[in-house]
Amino acid sequence: MGVDRRKFVKIAGAAALGLTAAPPIKLFSSETEEKADTSLCNTATDSCVCKPPEVDPVEQGLKKDPTRWAMVVNLGECRKHEDCKDCILACHETHNVPDFPKKKDEVKWIWKEQFSHAFHEVENEFGDEELNHSPALLLCNHCDNPPCVKVCPTQATWKREQDGIVMMDWHRCIGCRYCLAACPYGSRSFNYRDPRPHIKEINTDFPTRMRGVVEKCTFCDERLAEGKLPACVDACKYGCLTFGDLEDADSKVRELLHSHFTIRRKPGLGTQPEVFYIV
Amino acid sequence: MIENALKGGKRYWSWIAFLLVIIAVGGLYWLRQFNEGLTITGLNRDVSWGLYIAQFTFMVGVAASAVMVVLPYYLHNYKAFGKITILGEFVAVGACIMCMGFIFVDMGQPFRITNVFLHPSPNSMMFWDTVVLMGYLVLNVLISFVTLHSEKKSIAPPKWIRPIIILSIPWAVSIHTVTAFLYAGLVARPFWMTAVMAPRFLATAFSAGPALLILLALILRKNTKFDTGKEPIQKLAIIVTYAMIMNVFLLLMEIFTAVYSGIPEHLDHFKYLYFGLGENTALVPWMWTSAVLAVIALVLLIVPQFRKNETLLIWGCIAVFISIWIDKGMGMIVTGYIPNPLHTVTEYVPTFPEVMITLMVWALGGLIITGLYKVALSVRKQLV
Ligand code: SF4
Ligand code: SF4
């Protein structure tokens, strides 16, 4: 899949660049843009997934403002269902994430981690013990300013211009693990061994990986392309996960960020995570 | 000229055979790693660089240290280094190849290495490190062979080589600076986030490298007719002394900053190094060994009577070499990952196969340096 998609991304990226370099066109076309947006809206979900990121803006004859996908995790609600693993299972099954017998080989895209570890910088010795020990849901933050992308010597991981997803090309990755050293959130996993024999049931709609490459959450770019929500968001029956476009002022994520106090992991590093937490 | 590497006595060939056996055994483990993946190492999700990258970092320093003989000899015309310069350059060649070897065995998909050049990424320090290391290797191979060839023919080296030699001086500094930048710019790793890393890398390089060179020169003196004489050894010893003092000074700066500021994100790494975090104390004995050796080395090197005594100097050089090898290798790399970004601890201990693969690369470097030294000595013996 790597090659074609990358090629597409390059073309789309170049097209986007070209268009921003010509502001008058953008100015005059802004009305059509908005209309086109709503016409593409195909679901009635709260968090609107109405901008399939892989629609070529040139082919469509229109240019949309870049999308900025983000997620809001409602930890307060999630905490009530400590044993629930629906989102994790859905993600790992969809994406052929292996389950290795040894912890040292572990690969995970989304997982629960004790709150006081996930947010160790806000840990408070007299704070709510229960909160400190409660699980927090962690995944790649799709940082706006991703250190992992900066360090990759082959551009096997890159930030997709049109929607901010930090992507992975498993056919290009050389397995140097520089990105594992660079991610301040421990979001990345390396295939220390062949993952294929350790996938419970292979989902043939999604590629499997080979040993020696790095992988991580991709915000379900493949589902977004079909206008679907990410698998974890879809799977949560308590509505703890909200996904949407930060560029869209009416999106549910923007509304939640407006109405709730949210935190992000290690905000001081300037990475600008796109995953927000309601505590 | 090269063919001289293939002529030698019994001692020479037993040493070569010994190295070849290690390479063969290590090679078998590497094949296993190639088939099964890096799972046969002790590396894990939290500590994803270990013994291999530690050796790499240390060896870049050894490679860069050739500049400590090249600079006085070519730039300041310090004649006493005439005989030893080629030894330094050949060590650089061997060390560069070892660096590449360690990177190669560390990669998950080693045969995709060309991707680094097919998709050049100037953002990535690893890209630059690859570029400068390869350049440095080419420079040193070229310089050493051209100068040796002229020596063989008893003519002056060609004029065009001089600018290349001069270029190799800043280039040596660059390889180690860029290697420090690999680590020092990562927001995720407070332990590595220190502006002192590049200067300290240079200080450790300029002490461990020349210390190795002293040892090699003395081994050659003992086993062959080759003798550098006392003066260059003593001059090198002074270089080792000053560089080692700088190294320890910079280490104390690091410790002051971490301890006085007391920021847990920084301090905990140092706690892990010297006292361990809870039950996790894998590196503690090593780090204290390194510290004690550093003190011993300083005493043996700073006191002139000790330094001038060649037996004590040998011990001083061994102490420098091991102390830095521990501290700059495993101490520096592994501790960057402990505690991890979630401030929890997963420890790392190399496995037996990992150690064997590491020995394989060391033996390969040893083989290259031995062969090159053989060539150099043969040329010189012809001259006599
Ligand atoms: S969370 Fe880590 S892997 Fe994800 S974009 Fe940020 S730095 Fe990269
Ligand atoms: S492991 Fe792969 S994705 Fe990560 S930095 Fe290396 S080449 Fe890039």
Side-chain angles (χ1 to χ4, degrees):
Chain A
M1 100 201 210
V3 179
D4 284 339
R5 181 160 302 175
R6 279 192 73 91
K7 222 182 244 160
F8 165 76
V9 171
K10 276 211 182 122
I11 298 165
L17 270 180
L19 280 159
T20 28
I25 303 176
K26 200 180 163 206
L27 205 68
F28 291 125
S29 64
S30 69
E31 227 167 81
T32 22
E33 261 177 49
E34 263 162 38
K35 247 188 226 139
D37 273 359
T38 25
S39 69
L40 273 167
C41 200
N42 56 356
T43 53
T45 41
D46 284 345
S47 21
C48 180
V49 198
C50 52
K51 292 177 184 171
E54 307 226 3
V55 176
D56 190 329
V58 187
E59 232 165 66
Q60 296 284 310
L62 55 94
K63 152 85 176 73
K64 282 177 284 176
D65 280 332
T67 309
R68 220 171 120 189
W69 295 123
M71 189 184 284
V72 178
V73 181
N74 188 338
L75 283 183
E77 185 60 32
C78 181
R79 203 157 42 235
K80 292 182 197 154
H81 318 283
E82 207 162 315
D83 297 325
C84 172
K85 282 189 178 152
D86 289 355
C87 54
I88 300 170
L89 290 176
C91 167
H92 288 183
E93 277 163 20
T94 311
H95 299 115
N96 294 324
V97 176
D99 189 6
F100 290 124
K102 279 197 210 144
K103 174 128 169 41
K104 79 188 251 307
D105 298 322
E106 192 179 25
V107 171
K108 52 191 178 187
W109 286 26
I110 177 170
W111 73 102
K112 285 184 175 180
E113 182 84 40
Q114 190 172 316
F115 180 85
S116 59
H117 295 161
F119 292 92
H120 67 88
E121 62 280 1
V122 298
E123 200 193 344
N124 169 354
E125 115 180 65
F126 302 109
D128 184 355
E129 259 305 291
E130 223 172 286
L131 172 70
N132 277 341
H133 287 100
S134 71
L137 196 63
L138 304 185
L139 64 157
C140 168
N141 287 296
H142 296 275
C143 305
D144 238 17
N145 182 16
C148 56
V149 168
K150 187 155 65 182
V151 302
C152 179
T154 63
Q155 297 161 46
T157 187
W158 76 101
K159 189 158 182 72
R160 201 156 68 167
E161 268 171 57
Q162 74 268 37
D163 60 2
I165 294 184
V166 174
M167 301 283 288
M168 267 305 306
D169 184 340
W170 298 305
H171 296 101
R172 185 185 286 189
C173 173
I174 60 174
C176 65
R177 309 190 294 297
Y178 199 7
C179 53
L180 265 82
C183 170
Y185 306 101
S187 304
R188 292 176 165 260
S189 308
F190 177 72
N191 285 288
Y192 281 102
R193 54 192 305 177
D194 184 7
R196 283 162 196 147
H198 299 276
I199 302 169
K200 267 179 229 118
E201 210 173 309
I202 292 190
N203 168 14
T204 47
D205 293 335
F206 197 80
T208 56
R209 272 75 64 194
M210 64 198 307
R211 80 168 172 269
V213 300
V214 164
E215 60 182 79
K216 65 165 196 80
C217 153
T218 63
F219 260 178
C220 281
D221 64 295
E222 81 288 358
R223 288 172 59 96
L224 293 174
E226 297 170 359
K228 288 192 205 151
L229 282 170
C232 56
V233 180
D234 235 6
C236 179
K237 48 184 183 281
Y238 306 107
C240 303
L241 305 177
T242 310
F243 187 81
D245 177 13
L246 283 183
E247 296 289 341
D248 175 1
D250 300 324
S251 66
K252 189 75 195 275
V253 278
R254 283 282 291 271
E255 192 193 311
L256 282 175
L257 292 186
H258 192 75
S259 59
H260 290 76
F261 174 70
T262 52
I263 57 175
R264 292 190 278 181
R265 294 173 69 199
K266 304 193 184 179
L269 299 182
T271 53
Q272 300 289 359
E274 299 291 25
V275 177
F276 299 78
Y277 294 87
I278 300 172
V279 186
Chain B
M1 190 161 88
I2 297 254
E3 72 284 353
N4 286 318
L6 296 177
K7 293 181 210 146
K10 213 169 156 204
R11 293 256 299 283
Y12 176 72
W13 283 113
S14 352
W15 168 243
I16 298 282
F18 169 71
L19 292 175
L20 285 176
V21 168
I22 297 182
I23 293 175
V25 176
L28 289 179
Y29 281 100
W30 180 76
L31 275 181
R32 208 182 123 199
Q33 176 181 295
F34 185 70
N35 283 324
E36 291 174 34
L38 283 153
T39 180
I40 70 163
T41 68
L43 296 169
N44 51 61
R45 198 177 182 278
D46 283 342
V47 184
S48 44
W49 279 345
L51 191 59
Y52 301 149
I53 296 295
Q55 307 307 302
F56 159 79
T57 313
F58 179 76
M59 272 301 146
V60 178
V62 173
S65 73
V67 74
M68 285 291 108
V69 283
V70 170
L71 191 145
Y73 181 58
Y74 287 107
L75 213 58
H76 299 295
N77 212 4
Y78 180 65
K79 287 280 183 270
F81 276 176
K83 277 187 174 174
I84 213 168
T85 302
I86 192 82
L87 300 189
E89 286 162 351
F90 278 158
V91 166
V93 171
C96 265
I97 294 174
M98 285 168 79
C99 289
M100 292 171 184
F102 283 118
I103 292 291
F104 188 76
V105 298
D106 187 70
M107 285 168 61
Q109 287 293 334
F111 292 111
R112 288 188 189 165
I113 183 80
T114 43
N115 283 359
V116 176
F117 305 101
L118 291 176
H119 313 284
S121 318
N123 272 335
S124 171
M125 285 301 136
M126 197 175 279
F127 166 73
W128 289 111
D129 212 29
T130 322
V131 171
V132 292
L133 258 181
M134 297 190 57
Y136 190 66
L137 177 62
V138 171
L139 283 179
N140 273 290
V141 169
L142 191 70
I143 293 169
S144 49
F145 276 87
V146 169
T147 49
L148 196 62
H149 193 72
S150 318
E151 199 177 325
K152 189 180 171 191
K153 295 195 163 160
S154 305
I155 50 170
K159 277 228 166 63
W160 57 265
I161 197 74
R162 191 171 160 84
I164 296 179
I165 293 173
I166 304 295
L167 174 68
S168 80
I169 295 171
W171 203 291
V173 177
S174 86
I175 61 167
H176 222 19
T177 307
V178 177
T179 305
F181 288 175
L182 269 185
Y183 312 107
L186 300 182
V187 288
R189 310 285 163 192
F191 182 62
W192 294 341
M193 258 273 213
T194 160
V196 151
M197 186 177 281
R200 188 154 175 244
F201 269 18
L202 290 170
T204 46
F206 298 159
S207 40
L212 176 66
L213 206 53
I214 291 177
L215 295 174
L216 290 176
L218 293 179
I219 291 175
L220 287 185
R221 180 199 283 170
K222 201 151 178 251
N223 292 295
T224 67
K225 281 189 235 148
F226 181 84
D227 186 4
T228 46
K230 265 201 172 339
E231 192 189 334
I233 300 285
Q234 283 303 318
K235 263 284 168 329
L236 276 178
I238 288 177
I239 293 175
V240 176
T241 310
Y242 276 108
M244 189 63 184
I245 293 172
M246 276 317 289
N247 167 36
V248 173
F249 174 73
L250 291 174
L251 170 64
L252 294 175
M253 298 299 97
E254 293 270 29
I255 293 179
F256 169 80
T257 312
V259 172
Y260 194 76
S261 68
I263 305 171
E265 285 212 334
H266 292 243
L267 189 57
D268 285 351
H269 293 288
F270 287 92
K271 278 193 191 154
Y272 176 70
L273 269 182
Y274 292 103
F275 304 104
L277 289 173
E279 313 257 277
N280 307 295
T281 53
L283 278 179
V284 175
W286 290 94
M287 289 314 291
W288 284 106
T289 308
S290 168
V292 170
L293 286 175
V295 173
I296 294 176
L298 285 182
V299 172
L300 290 181
L301 288 169
I302 293 176
V303 180
Q305 290 91 321
F306 295 165
R307 188 177 62 235
K308 284 183 186 139
N309 174 332
E310 264 179 15
T311 320
L312 289 179
L313 179 62
I314 290 176
W315 286 109
C317 287
I318 293 176
V320 164
F321 193 81
I322 299 178
S323 167
I324 291 175
W325 177 76
I326 295 173
D327 176 50
K328 183 184 190 176
M330 291 284 278
M332 211 284 296
I333 296 299
V334 173
T335 310
Y337 293 94
I338 301 175
N340 67 11
L342 298 163
H343 225 75
T344 56
V345 176
T346 311
E347 275 204 302
Y348 158 77
V349 179
T351 58
F352 181 73
E354 202 175 354
V355 172
M356 290 313 293
I357 293 172
T358 302
L359 286 179
M360 168 186 82
V361 182
W362 273 91
L364 188 73
L367 190 68
I368 291 168
I369 294 175
T370 309
L372 290 174
Y373 274 19
K374 184 82 195 358
V375 171
L377 292 198
S378 312
V379 167
R380 296 252 158 97
K381 261 188 231 152
Q382 282 171 359
L383 281 177
V384 177

